Amino acid sequence: MLALLFLACSRGPADPRPAIAAALPETRAVRLAPEEALRTGRSFEACVGFKQRVRTGGTDADWQGLLTIAARDPNCLDAALGDELAAWAHDRAGWADAVGEWEASRGLYVDPTKLSPPARLRIALRGTDQGEAVAAAAAVLAVDVTDPFACAVLLRDRIDRGELQAAIDTCPTVSTADAARMRAEALDEAGRTAEAVAAYDAAGLTLHAAAVLYQTDADHDEEALARMDEDVPPVAIHRGWLAALRHTPISVEGLDDTPEATMLRALAGVPSAVKALSDEPGLEPLVLHARLTGDLTKLDAELAKAPTSDVLLRAELGIRATRKLDLAPALAAVAAADPDHVKLGGTPGRREAPWTALVPWSWSDLGALTPLSTMAGKDPVGEAWRAAAQLPEKDRETALSALQADHPELRGLARIRVESARLDAPPGER
């Protein structure tokens, strides 16, 4: 009797798959094979495809695929059903990756050494160690240079760190939507406008291409408008920014409730939108609120936290000059900044809310409006730049790479390193 009881206990949970399959609703067919959908990050197709298979007696691989996609997309499978499947599959041969991803999605510790590189990557991304995730992505690519998810991880990391040329060169044969979009983003930030437009167009992201065109040069407005013929809110937003940049009336027709739409309504003169700017998240609404109301309280606080911000320095001085406010605080802030640090920081922003429309004053404009003096400050970033400038070319690039690694927020430096660009320089650049 004891032997029989031990045998029953050792078998573990009963196979829950028949009951799970019976509980799954019938779904419409999808064309893409679920394995390929899983690999390329198309969660809906993967989930539906694996459900279709397991409802009609799927293989172990199909069930593993379903548990894996359920771990990545919580909308795919009821959590209780996933827990049952994972508990039954735990320690079964071939299930380590699927069970590992599921348990990680439930907040449980998973030993990554027992998993394949792709599963290790997914689990690493649930943590906070960016270096671990990047190393895991590199391990995946060492096995499969075309893995789209690992490529996307490396692309995002390289863009975020300011390594634009490395991003442009990453996984050139991978043509998924995410990879194409990020390569176009890197080209755009690098100032390679024509290539960025072509890359966005090739990826089917015509509105992104339109934004690059009209925000780069007024001569491209016709090309941009040809790409903005849909009656949808994102197009209405970009038509609004185009009007703002060309100083023509802004239409609020078709705008949604996003912060970008609120900013456009405010620029169009809608009083309630101007008031609402103070409640919108992000730096752009804050700066626009200061520009439209003359209330510099929050802008002053942001500038105190980021005294070398090109866009905040120009906004502060431009608002004070056009509103006939006391220029002394803004002029003092400009004089105290290290001009090279300001230049290297650049004006990072989003095409969905272009700084050129929100802070329309260049340094040349401000020089004509105010008694603008030379920036005379010195700080470690500026000193490192000036020291690098004295080195031979090879050593200089090494020094600038180190500076970029220490300060990934220096988006002006990222662009300079790619194309030796000369940005709209502040007064006193050395």
Side-chain angles (χ1 to χ4, degrees):
M1 178 64 75
L2 286 175
L4 290 174
L5 181 61
F6 175 78
L7 181 61
C9 293
S10 67
R11 287 173 181 164
D15 187 346
R17 293 181 295 178
I20 294 174
L24 296 177
E26 190 171 349
T27 56
R28 65 179 179 83
V30 291
R31 293 183 179 180
L32 186 64
E35 295 88 354
E36 183 61 18
L38 180 66
R39 184 175 185 272
T40 56
R42 298 173 66 168
S43 299
F44 176 78
E45 289 97 331
C47 180
V48 171
F50 283 123
K51 281 182 176 179
Q52 287 172 343
R53 288 187 182 176
V54 301
R55 284 184 72 254
T56 55
T59 65
D60 268 11
D62 294 328
W63 282 100
Q64 291 160 16
L66 178 59
L67 186 60
T68 299
I69 194 59
R72 299 175 187 179
D73 181 358
N75 296 315
C76 178
L77 188 67
D78 181 86
L81 297 179
D83 284 338
E84 282 186 59
L85 183 57
W88 170 80
H90 202 280
D91 296 328
R92 288 180 180 271
W95 283 82
D97 285 353
V99 172
E101 285 202 43
W102 177 262
E103 291 183 343
S105 76
R106 306 289 281 162
L108 302 175
Y109 171 75
V110 177
D111 182 357
T113 62
K114 297 180 179 179
L115 307 179
S116 69
R120 286 203 300 271
L121 171 58
R122 294 284 181 167
I123 290 172
L125 286 170
R126 294 183 181 277
T128 58
D129 189 335
Q130 178 70 6
E132 181 183 350
V134 171
V140 172
L141 293 173
V143 177
D144 178 5
V145 295
T146 66
D147 184 279
F149 189 73
C151 285
V153 170
L154 285 187
L155 271 162
R156 185 75 267 157
D157 174 70
R158 287 168 178 174
I159 292 173
D160 290 347
R161 288 190 293 106
E163 297 298 335
L164 301 180
Q165 188 60 57
I168 292 165
D169 296 336
T170 294
C171 301
T173 61
V174 175
S175 57
T176 58
D178 280 345
R181 176 184 53 77
M182 284 189 277
R183 272 196 295 271
E185 179 187 338
L187 287 164
D188 183 15
E189 188 173 351
R192 291 160 61 172
T193 302
E195 292 174 81
V197 170
Y200 278 133
D201 278 340
L205 301 169
T206 54
L207 187 56
H208 288 68
V212 176
L213 285 166
Y214 79 78
Q215 291 176 29
T216 301
D217 191 336
D219 291 340
H220 295 316
D221 285 359
E222 219 172 288
E223 296 174 67
L225 287 169
R227 292 167 169 82
M228 295 194 291
D229 57 356
E230 290 185 271
D231 187 20
V232 293
V235 170
I237 284 172
H238 280 289
R239 284 183 172 273
W241 290 125
L242 174 56
L245 289 168
R246 304 298 175 256
H247 308 291
T248 59
I250 298 170
S251 172
V252 299
E253 193 72 29
L255 294 176
D256 54 16
D257 295 324
T258 58
E260 293 79 17
T262 301
M263 287 188 279
L264 284 168
R265 289 190 182 94
L267 283 169
V270 178
S272 60
V274 175
K275 184 178 179 181
L277 287 173
S278 60
D279 297 322
E280 294 286 5
L283 193 59
E284 298 100 334
L286 181 153
V287 171
L288 184 59
H289 184 266
R291 174 184 160 189
L292 297 179
T293 64
D295 181 356
L296 298 172
T297 306
K298 291 183 178 179
L299 176 56
D300 289 343
E302 290 298 323
L303 183 56
K305 291 188 286 186
T308 58
S309 168
D310 178 281
V311 72
L312 293 182
L313 287 167
R314 286 188 290 113
E316 177 85 14
L317 187 53
I319 293 168
R320 287 181 179 274
T322 54
R323 287 185 166 272
K324 310 300 183 187
L325 302 175
D326 181 14
L327 294 178
L331 291 171
V334 171
D338 185 312
D340 289 312
H341 191 167
V342 174
K343 174 188 68 177
L344 297 174
T347 54
R350 301 177 296 118
R351 292 292 183 187
E352 294 77 17
W355 279 119
T356 45
L358 301 170
V359 182
W361 310 281
S362 68
W363 286 112
S364 297
D365 295 334
L366 295 170
L369 286 171
T370 69
L372 187 60
S373 60
T374 298
M375 288 185 183
K378 292 183 179 180
D379 65 28
V381 168
E383 294 286 22
W385 165 261
R386 292 185 284 275
Q390 307 302 315
L391 297 173
E393 184 175 349
K394 182 178 179 181
D395 295 334
R396 181 167 64 249
E397 178 51 35
T398 299
L400 294 181
S401 295
L403 181 59
Q404 188 84 68
D406 290 340
H407 297 277
E409 76 280 2
L410 297 177
R411 308 313 289 188
L413 174 60
R415 182 167 176 175
I416 289 169
R417 290 175 59 223
V418 170
E419 64 160 13
S420 298
R422 188 166 178 82
L423 309 176
D424 176 34
E429 175 195 8
R430 293 185 282 273

